[in-house]
Amino acid sequence: MLTRLAYRAALILCVCVWISIAAPAAHAADGIKWAKSYSAAVAEAKATNKLVMIDFYTDWCSWCKRLDKDTYTDSRVIALADRIIPVRVNAEKEGLQAAQKYRITGFPAILFINGDNEVEGRINGYLPPAGFSERMLQVMKVHQDTPLLAARLRSNPSDAETAAKLTAIYASRGSERKAVAALAVVEKTDGANTKGLLSRSYASVGDMYQSNRRYDQARAHFKKSLKNGKNAFDSSYAHYSIAFSYLGQNRLKEGATELKAVIAIPNCPPGLKQRAQTVLPEVEKAIGQK
């Protein structure tokens, strides 16, 4: 996630314009037009190239009810939902299989998927209308831009910057084949690594493997990210991620070493340093109990 901040920051610039255009398109009184079922929504997405917004809820979830009351009645959210295919599923009833497929463990959980069942974005937990609509816009903008970026790369196969953006997008979706192919373009065309594209691209693919608990492959990519890092953030994020690849395999001593490396980096981003300082004592305590 952190490896894609620069790209997401660029997308934020479009938010205000999109909201101003979208707001008049629907009225709160009309409400969100929910699809009849998850399968119907996916089928429509495949036919129209629209995104599906899946709201996973449960009967006992109080934050789900607040989302219904506060957020789904907002005119901005309703207008944006009209551009995609929204569907609500009870994660303990008709949506149980889908919830298991997408590893939903907390509620509410909102996933944005395409017609190929790839997750293009998510919202974990409750968000008020402003934050929810902003996140919707970001996901929709990336969905809209991805084919354009892919076409740009096809027309100019040496465009390392576009390849790096696509690497991050495909990796965030878990599209391994596409992510690895885009990464190969970055490796081939950005040998000088003048913009730090290699480091960020390796980290994006590492994140993908890490999320799937493929720790050896994740670590290999984070080490390459570390080698090609151009600044304190790149190095800190790589060490931090390597630490968790070790911890995921219960290799506590190696994990502790990497956490110490994060803390020792000059100009380490405060957030990463604080996380490492929080986790390290717990890891050292576990080592002592072995």
Side-chain angles (χ1 to χ4, degrees), residues 236 239-241 243-244 247 255-264 268-284:
S236 301
H239 276 299
Y240 185 81
S241 300
F244 274 83
L247 296 178
T257 298
E258 294 296 329
L259 291 170
K260 290 175 183 176
V262 175
I263 296 168
C268 174
L272 281 172
K273 187 172 185 178
Q274 183 178 14
R275 291 185 206 177
Q277 289 173 327
T278 300
V279 175
L280 181 58
E282 296 299 321
V283 174
E284 290 179 327

Side-chain angles (χ1 to χ4, degrees), residues 22 33 57 67 101 111 173 182 192 194 196 198 206 215-216 248 260:
K33 299 177 179 64
Y57 72 95
L67 196 67
K101 174 182 178 179
L111 263 57
R173 296 180 184 180
T194 54
L198 270 173
Y215 297 118
D216 290 337
K260 290 175 183 176

